Amino acid sequence: MELYFATGNPHKLAEANLILKKFGVTLKPAPSPKIEIQSDSLEEIAQYAARAAYSSLRCPLVVEDSGLFIESLNGFPGPYSSYVYKTIGCGGILRLMEGRCNREASFKCVVFYAGGEVMCSFVGIAKGSIAEEPRGSGGFGFDPIFMSEDLNGKTFSETDPSEKSAVSHRGRAFRALGEWLSDSGREHTLK
Ligand code: IMP
């Protein structure tokens, strides 16, 4: 089964396909770009983008929106993670964290499936903390500074893609989509 994935991020596409392969689902890049509204809610951003993409493509697709939420920064950068990564990057986040004892953080991913009559969302959360310095060379975005609580202190950048996907926010959300597609959702999707 094939579905469109409205994203401009090749890392997200690769990670999602690694997970969905086990469910016999392949995501292919949507021909139209993801439309991003500004909102404090990942759910709202993903839902708006999925509905907009569906009204132009008219076939089943998924969109995802994700972000890094740092507890002692009141959830910053959250839905603004992409912009914050492009502007101040991992180094800027580490500077904002200087002198803070509470380094707890989580990644959240919302996957929104739009299939016409059927619209539904899947959420994945990965808990962890912000490292004192960047470590590792894999992954993308804030991976070098995020230590997952499921990886014994390793950052996401110090893992290989399948190790990251087993515990990541994206892994959890796309596995939930995969299970749903294998079950009740399959009849609503592309054959
Ligand atoms: P958006 O979902 O396109 O708005 O982008 C979310 C941003 O959050 C990305 O550009 C990354 O900076 C960050 N992000 C989301 N997921 C991950 C991840 O798995 N690893 C590292 N950074 C991530």
Side-chain angles (χ1 to χ4, degrees):
M1 183 200 309
E2 285 191 334
L3 291 174
Y4 279 124
F5 184 17
T7 181
N9 186 327
H11 300 281
K12 289 184 176 185
L13 182 67
E15 288 187 10
N17 269 326
L18 181 70
I19 297 146
L20 290 176
K21 195 166 63 178
K22 293 164 196 133
F23 298 93
V25 178
T26 306
L27 298 181
K28 50 184 183 172
S32 44
K34 176 183 170 194
I35 295 173
E36 286 231 18
I37 54 160
Q38 236 183 45
S39 162
D40 290 345
S41 152
L42 296 183
E43 282 84 355
E44 247 177 55
I45 298 168
Q47 177 167 175
Y48 187 93
R51 288 182 188 278
Y54 186 83
S55 53
S56 77
L57 291 170
R58 294 270 150 212
C59 57
L61 57 90
V62 291
V63 166
E64 79 101 272
D65 207 69
S66 46
L68 175 66
F69 296 76
I70 301 176
E71 211 172 274
S72 63
L73 301 180
N74 299 323
F76 181 84
Y80 309 101
S81 294
S82 173
Y83 179 72
V84 170
Y85 180 73
K86 280 185 225 148
T87 50
I88 62 171
C90 291
I93 293 291
L94 290 179
R95 280 190 293 281
L96 290 174
M97 293 300 289
E98 271 169 20
R100 290 177 198 269
C101 302
N102 179 3
R103 304 186 73 86
E104 282 185 28
S106 56
F107 268 122
K108 180 174 174 183
C109 171
V110 177
V111 172
F112 201 92
Y113 168 88
E117 284 158 35
V118 184
M119 303 270 171
C120 100
S121 65
F122 305 88
V123 178
I125 290 175
K127 290 188 178 166
S129 56
I130 302 299
E132 296 285 344
E133 55 190 25
R135 293 201 318 264
S137 54
F140 72 101
F142 296 112
D143 277 349
I145 59 166
F146 184 78
M147 302 190 296
S148 158
E149 69 176 24
D150 299 302
L151 294 171
N152 296 325
K154 275 203 265 185
T155 67
F156 272 168
S157 278
E158 293 177 304
T159 63
D160 62 36
S162 55
E163 208 181 350
K164 176 181 173 185
S165 292
V167 298
S168 76
H169 50 309
R170 188 162 298 102
R172 293 176 206 267
F174 275 101
R175 262 192 302 283
L177 169 72
E179 277 156 20
W180 179 77
L181 286 174
S182 317
D183 188 12
S184 58
R186 189 177 276 278
E187 67 212 64
H188 301 291
T189 61
L190 279 179
K191 297 285 177 283

